[in-house]
Amino acid sequence: MGQLSSRKALEKLKEGNRNFCDGKPGHEKQDAARRAELAAGQEPFAVVLSCADSRVVPELVFDVGLGEIFVVRVAGNIANTSSIASIEYAIQHLNPKVNLVVVLGHEGCGAVKAALGGGDCGHHLNMLLAHLQPAVSQATGKTDAAKLVSTVKKNARLTAKRLGLASKSFERKSLEIVPAYYNLASGKVDFL
Ligand SMILES: [Zn+2]
């Protein structure tokens, strides 16, 4: 694939998402020839930080094949040391460097729901949910459902912002970090 500008990379993801929504995925670059081609190295054109939710699978959602996107998954698509370091690797150390990072929140996110609910979820989950607190504290909406949507979107935006400030690697001019929201039933990704 080689290097794509952030704009071209975003266009490609949008096009793939349209195929997915229309039920006409190309399923390209998933065969033995592609595996052989990639054995020498990877050149993904975008990074996606997404939730671990089984319903949100970035490679399917964007209709891409092996080696096309560098996916980091963690519940609540949070920016913690491990996720930041993984993304840093892709945007700084891969050759060519990746120019687009998408932070993909999604409808009905259980991690965000748990953070909104509060309470003690056990040591590890509490540590993870703490990263969602900035979004939770800014939650708006009259109903629980509306609050969940607004908090997921807020978290995607804040996480994108946080990544931008995470280190010098993220300050590169050609790099764009874009928050997005995945709709479960339609499969559509709304770029925020
Ligand atoms: Zn989730």
Side-chain angles (χ1 to χ4, degrees), residues 51-53 55-56 74-77 105-112:
C51 185
D53 193 295
R55 300 166 294 179
V56 188
V74 56
N77 42 273
H106 70 96
E107 183 182 355
C109 183
V112 174

Side-chain angles (χ1 to χ4, degrees), residues 1-3 29 34-48 59 65-72 85-98:
M1 165 64 54
Q3 192 169 36
K29 300 186 176 176
R34 179 61 172 169
R35 288 202 303 271
E37 187 189 340
L38 287 173
Q42 58 171 331
E43 291 185 358
F45 67 85
V47 171
V48 179
E59 289 87 344
L66 294 169
E68 293 203 278
I69 59 175
F70 189 98
V71 179
V72 179
S86 304
I87 297 167
E88 212 167 46
Y89 171 73
I91 62 170
Q92 193 60 28
H93 300 290
L94 285 181
N95 187 25
K97 290 171 182 171
V98 176

Side-chain angles (χ1 to χ4, degrees), residues 104-122:
L104 186 60
H106 70 96
E107 183 182 355
C109 183
V112 174
K113 219 181 272 181
L116 281 167
D120 186 1
C121 299

Side-chain angles (χ1 to χ4, degrees), residues 145-159:
K147 213 176 244 183
L148 179 59
V149 173
S150 84
T151 309
V152 168
K153 289 182 177 175
K154 189 87 211 168
N155 178 52
R157 288 194 174 99
L158 289 176
T159 302

